[in-house]
Amino acid sequence: MSILIIDDFQEERDLLFTILNSAGFGPLLPVGTAREGLHLLGVGKRGKQTSGIDLVLMDIEMPEIDGLEACQRIRMEEQLQGLPIIVITAHTEAKDIQAAYTCGATDYIRKPVIPAELIARAANALSLKQEIDARKLREQELLERTKELDHAFEQITTLHGTVHICAKCKRVKADGPHWQRVEDYLRRQARAKVAETVCDTCLHQAYPHLK
């Protein structure tokens, strides 16, 4: 599972890369600006898919586009709603952490980075991403299966070809030489429930004294 590392300091990028690479994570994609990171994620590209990135590690204090603004832009993309974003910051006051969560971050790591903490939080985030992806796949498969079943049922319950009805008794010719009452035929072929009743014309003809 791929991890995008966004930090404007080369030393920080190298540190994160070394820790994660040593722990077996990868592929790792380090970039020096939020703009580069957003480009790799496909943010703002209509109709474009993401590059398969599963986790973003991002510094908050960066020139031009900071980490908070980058989080907001990522969360504006529907296909990136479930992407884990861990911000890495030296500002750990309550207001700073709240601002990060408000902008769309899912977790944070304090600077200076502790290797064990980085590895644990990255592993948890990737595990959650796998669960989300698996659930989406199951939902998509279920939706497609439901559509297939609906289509098959529609084919079964929709009348096709020529239906032969006797001009005198109004019976319907079913399979082979057999003739059925219209209501019996509809019960077998139609999706709607068939209920027998008497229309007003027939009722008046059979019982003229009734009004």
Side-chain angles (χ1 to χ4, degrees):
M1 302 183 75
S2 60
I3 301 176
L4 175 62
I5 301 172
I6 307 175
D7 199 301
D8 57 322
F9 283 100
Q10 181 70 49
E11 294 80 2
E12 291 290 337
R13 295 199 302 273
D14 291 344
L15 174 63
L16 297 177
F17 185 96
T18 300
I19 295 172
L20 294 172
N21 186 59
S22 298
F25 291 93
L28 305 173
L29 307 171
V31 297
T33 66
R35 187 175 298 280
E36 292 178 87
L38 295 176
H39 177 76
L40 288 176
L41 289 168
V43 173
K45 299 178 182 178
R46 291 190 176 182
K48 295 291 182 94
Q49 298 295 320
T50 66
S51 57
I53 293 171
D54 300 293
L55 171 63
V56 176
L57 300 176
M58 182 160 51
D59 186 23
I60 287 184
E61 292 187 3
M62 292 184 290
E64 190 179 356
I65 302 175
D66 63 23
L68 298 182
E69 182 181 348
C71 282
Q72 290 178 321
R73 293 192 185 187
I74 292 172
R75 291 306 182 218
M76 291 175 64
E77 302 289 330
E78 182 178 356
Q79 70 272 22
L80 299 177
Q81 293 296 315
L83 177 66
I85 303 174
I86 300 178
V87 296
I88 302 176
T89 177
H91 302 286
T92 57
E93 294 183 9
K95 61 182 181 63
D96 299 314
I97 302 304
Q98 181 61 45
Y101 284 131
T102 300
C103 291
T106 53
D107 202 353
Y108 76 96
I109 296 176
R110 298 177 177 87
K111 287 185 177 181
V113 173
I114 301 173
E117 181 183 15
L118 173 63
I119 293 171
R121 291 184 182 272
N124 288 338
L126 290 174
S127 178
L128 177 61
K129 179 63 162 50
Q130 284 183 318
E131 292 178 7
I132 293 174
D133 289 346
R135 185 189 65 191
K136 288 182 178 180
L137 180 59
R138 290 194 297 269
E139 291 176 349
Q140 183 62 33
E141 291 175 346
L142 179 60
L143 179 61
E144 292 176 358
R145 182 59 177 163
T146 301
K147 289 181 179 179
E148 291 176 359
L149 292 174
D150 285 344
H151 178 71
F153 188 69
E154 187 69 28
Q155 293 295 316
I156 293 173
T157 58
T158 301
L159 300 179
H160 294 280
T162 302
V163 179
H164 300 277
I165 302 177
C166 176
K168 181 172 179 62
C169 69
K170 302 305 179 183
R171 290 179 177 268
V172 178
K173 188 176 183 181
D175 299 331
H178 303 292
W179 291 82
Q180 297 180 348
R181 296 186 306 165
V182 173
E183 55 268 39
D184 294 333
Y185 181 77
L186 290 177
R187 284 194 181 97
R188 291 182 57 191
Q189 301 293 334
R191 178 178 296 185
K193 179 180 179 181
V194 178
E196 296 183 11
T197 185
V198 180
C199 69
D200 293 340
T201 301
C202 293
L203 181 63
H204 293 158
Q205 290 178 353
Y207 306 98
H209 61 283
L210 296 178
K211 295 184 180 180

